[in-house]
Amino acid sequence: MHTIEIMTIKPIALSAFCLLAFLSIVSAHAEKPNIVFIFADDQAPNTIGVYGASHMKTPNLDRFAEEGVLFNRAYNPGSFAAAVCVASRAMLNTGAFVWNAAAFYGAGTFKPGGKNAPMVGESYAIKKKKPQAYWSQYMKRAGYETYFTGKWHVRAKADQVFDHAVHVRAGMPAQNKKRYKRKFIEGESDWSPYDKKMGGFWRGGKHWSEVLADDSITFIEQAKESDKPFFMYLAFNAPHDPRQAPKEYVDMYPLEGIKVPKNFLPEYPYNEYAGAGRTLRDETLAPFPRTEYAVKKNLQEYYAAVSYMDTQIGRILDALKASGKADNTYVFFTADHGLAVGDHGFIGKQNMYDHSVRVPLMMTGPGLEAGKIVNAPVYLQDVMATSIELSGLYKPAQVEFNSLLPLATGITEQSSYSSIYGCYYSNQRMILTDKYKMIIYPAANIVRLYNVKKDPLEMNDLAEHKQQYVELLSTLFVRFKNLQREMNDPLDVTEAFNNFMSDVPPRPLPNRRETRNPIH
């Protein structure tokens, strides 16, 4: 018999003494601290040296983490859209959990087989709502001058919710058609990440990551002359595809030095049921079946884009220090979600494995211990709630995520969340505890179970031996149902779970569509 180890922790309220003690540190520098939020796109923790990626060259992010607090278990709750970055940013900017954010985004209806929709799944509908405000508007109410540059991908217009908005980018750069036609044959070069004629991040003549750093430094130079606190939202498009970088950064990662992931698969066995399949845009960036060479080339370009972005982040952090504002500034770095690039046979992020749902998260600022590591599970969207607390505002009712300050300051080591939730359309559901992860594919009557402490690469599916884990699976499912209610999840997965436990065979797949499904 197997027993389950799951935290049973309720949201924690700071004692008046602890809260006043911390806020006294903040007020010793100024009435309100500045907030700088740096956001990567498609970046997993395994691309940053300080997260244990010894093959990566990320000196600026490593230095940043060493000067502040690193969160080792930060997650994105999933997506109501094929473009996972859309849902992540909707949650971040409204503060609402994923399905409430779907209502705010106007994406609360799903019909299988529709435009940009996964192949399988069940229909659902969520009533559309209007958000009370967006993150930047809350900060403006708190007296902040607000600034934005980079990838937006949110329903509201950036120039209407920020005081300043420059180089507002779409979800991704338009890609040269050659990128999608690559055959990844050794010795043949049909696309180059540093060929500026390929457009993408090079459109306009200067790489978009460099443009973002230039924009940020310009605003910092202006802000150093003002006494008004500022809130900067700096959203890189990198390292999202097309993963482009100057040649010197690509050369940092010779192919012979790149290893395919240990959990590499030519194709994930349930990818069609999961809604990723062979036609989703992210998954067409490498051929089927996956080859080691194709994955290595994708990784080479991914790593180069990360390292080039790291250089630009270093420029921003150096400018902040030179401005004299750094001592009264909280800086956050995270990503909207992770990315597979070969793990489990996936290339994109439309799955519930750690390489896609887990993100890097770190912060620096007054009163924070340098080099502190937090192992409690959190959501990346907690950054929004944290900044609101730092601004002096009470947390609005719409904001469902929690401040990171109790964990960052050491007031507690316990998470505000009893478990981590994950979803993708009506095709995938997940619950993650300190020790176990359970993934459900409702359209297939399939459940997968991993001991993430013993098996962090999620390679040993314990649910294949479900008779040994009946009690564990049942307990996890009850907890997942409770979590669904908290999230206003519209999907009932009870039948699929019961079918799996009763040995009902997987449902047959519909005919596979062979056309590509472009999603930007």
Side-chain angles (χ1 to χ4, degrees):
M1 182 178 295
H2 295 264
T3 58
I4 186 168
E5 296 180 17
I6 301 179
M7 296 183 300
T8 55
I9 301 163
K10 296 181 179 179
I12 298 163
L14 295 181
S15 70
F17 174 79
C18 291
L19 181 58
L20 288 173
F22 175 73
L23 292 179
S24 68
I25 296 173
V26 175
S27 62
H29 294 267
E31 286 189 5
K32 292 182 184 291
N34 306 306
I35 307 290
V36 176
F37 175 63
I38 304 175
F39 206 23
D41 188 9
D42 275 19
Q43 186 174 11
N46 61 10
T47 61
I48 301 176
V50 75
Y51 277 94
S54 58
H55 61 287
M56 290 300 302
K57 298 173 177 62
T58 52
N60 295 292
L61 285 173
D62 294 345
R63 170 170 57 97
F64 178 69
E66 290 165 0
E67 293 175 353
V69 180
L70 180 145
F71 292 84
N72 202 32
R73 299 183 65 209
Y75 299 90
N76 177 49
S79 184
F80 52 75
V84 182
C85 50
V86 166
S88 177
R89 290 159 204 268
M91 287 183 274
L92 178 70
N93 283 280
T94 63
F97 287 147
V98 55
W99 295 107
N100 293 333
F104 292 146
Y105 190 80
T109 299
F110 170 70
K111 295 181 179 179
K115 182 181 178 182
N116 292 344
M119 288 182 59
V120 291
E122 296 182 10
S123 299
Y124 58 77
I126 301 171
K127 186 176 180 180
K128 185 177 180 179
K129 298 179 182 178
K130 185 177 180 180
Q132 298 169 351
Y134 290 94
W135 185 6
S136 55
Q137 292 173 314
Y138 289 127
M139 300 304 287
K140 288 169 75 170
R141 291 176 189 175
Y144 281 73
E145 185 173 6
T146 59
Y147 179 87
F148 173 84
T149 182
K151 175 172 175 173
W152 184 225
H153 226 192
V154 179
R155 285 288 195 210
K157 293 184 178 180
D159 60 0
Q160 293 181 2
V161 295
F162 287 89
D163 295 316
H164 313 277
V166 297
H167 289 117
V168 180
R169 309 290 192 184
M172 57 177 282
Q175 301 202 38
N176 189 294
K177 291 182 180 179
K178 290 183 178 181
R179 176 63 184 86
Y180 290 108
K181 295 180 179 179
R182 295 173 75 181
K183 297 180 180 179
F184 293 98
I185 299 174
E186 292 189 58
E188 295 186 13
S189 178
D190 45 12
W191 185 86
S192 168
Y194 45 82
D195 183 353
K196 295 184 179 181
K197 295 191 297 294
M198 293 295 175
F201 282 100
W202 296 111
R203 185 178 180 182
K206 183 184 288 188
H207 195 285
W208 287 12
S209 292
E210 185 179 357
V211 172
L212 187 143
D214 291 346
D215 291 343
S216 305
I217 293 168
T218 297
F219 179 77
I220 290 170
E221 285 294 310
Q222 297 171 354
K224 73 180 183 181
E225 306 298 331
S226 173
D227 292 330
K228 189 174 184 179
F230 56 80
F231 166 60
M232 299 179 71
Y233 185 122
L234 313 177
F236 285 91
N237 280 82
H240 193 292
D241 62 277
R243 291 178 270 275
Q244 295 163 295
K247 186 176 184 301
E248 63 185 281
Y249 287 85
V250 179
D251 290 344
M252 289 179 179
Y253 300 99
L255 279 181
E256 57 269 23
I258 294 176
K259 298 179 180 179
V260 297
K262 290 182 179 180
N263 51 15
F264 166 79
L265 292 173
E267 184 164 3
Y268 186 67
Y270 306 112
N271 65 343
E272 299 284 10
Y273 291 110
R278 289 184 163 208
T279 59
L280 197 68
R281 193 202 61 80
D282 298 65
E283 298 302 329
T284 64
L285 294 170
F288 286 94
R290 311 305 195 191
T291 66
E292 291 194 6
Y293 178 75
V295 169
K296 284 184 177 182
K297 287 292 289 184
N298 270 278
L299 286 172
Q300 180 187 49
E301 294 157 11
Y302 184 35
Y303 296 161
V306 168
S307 287
Y308 188 58
M309 181 181 67
D310 179 84
T311 295
Q312 307 309 319
I313 291 172
R315 293 178 58 212
I316 296 169
L317 297 176
D318 289 345
L320 183 64
K321 288 184 178 180
S323 73
K325 295 281 188 178
D327 288 345
N328 189 40
T329 301
Y330 286 87
V331 184
F332 299 86
F333 172 80
T334 189
D336 52 359
H337 44 70
L339 196 67
V341 199
D343 293 74
H344 290 95
F346 292 109
I347 296 296
K349 57 269 187 176
Q350 292 84 358
N351 62 85
M352 296 291 105
Y353 289 98
D354 257 26
H355 47 69
S356 295
V357 297
R358 184 169 165 244
V359 297
L361 174 58
M362 51 190 84
M363 64 182 289
T364 61
L368 299 182
E369 177 186 347
K372 181 178 177 62
I373 297 176
V374 174
N375 289 310
V378 298
Y379 293 113
L380 73 92
Q381 290 83 2
D382 290 334
V383 171
M384 188 260 209
T386 309
S387 71
I388 288 177
E389 181 171 354
L390 287 168
S391 77
L393 291 179
Y394 287 105
K395 190 171 79 166
Q398 177 180 292
V399 178
E400 298 174 288
F401 293 95
N402 295 298
S403 172
L404 297 168
L405 291 179
L407 291 166
T409 58
I411 291 173
T412 182
E413 295 182 355
Q414 295 180 323
S415 175
S416 297
Y417 305 103
S418 60
S419 51
I420 294 296
Y421 169 90
C423 67
Y424 179 65
Y425 276 120
S426 60
N427 295 72
Q428 302 176 53
R429 290 296 185 269
M430 178 200 81
I431 181 171
L432 172 67
T433 72
D434 271 357
K435 189 173 181 180
Y436 294 104
K437 177 186 287 187
M438 183 175 72
I439 302 172
I440 303 172
Y441 299 119
N445 298 330
I446 293 292
V447 176
R448 310 206 83 176
L449 176 67
Y450 301 93
N451 184 326
V452 291
K453 280 196 172 181
K454 293 182 178 180
D455 178 26
L457 294 179
E458 300 164 295
M459 299 173 67
N460 180 24
D461 180 12
L462 301 178
E464 292 180 353
H465 314 284
K466 61 187 173 188
Q467 297 307 319
Q468 300 177 40
Y469 294 92
V470 169
E471 184 177 345
L472 172 59
L473 287 163
S474 300
T475 303
L476 280 171
F477 187 68
V478 170
R479 287 190 172 271
F480 175 70
K481 293 286 285 184
N482 291 334
L483 198 54
Q484 277 192 300
R485 283 190 285 272
E486 293 177 24
M487 296 285 175
N488 285 331
D489 187 338
L491 184 68
D492 187 354
V493 297
T494 304
E495 180 183 358
F497 181 83
N498 289 340
N499 285 344
F500 171 78
M501 298 297 282
S502 303
D503 293 319
V504 175
R507 302 174 189 175
L509 278 168
N511 292 330
R512 173 178 281 165
R513 295 177 293 178
E514 296 298 338
T515 56
R516 292 180 183 269
N517 187 11
I519 295 171
H520 303 297

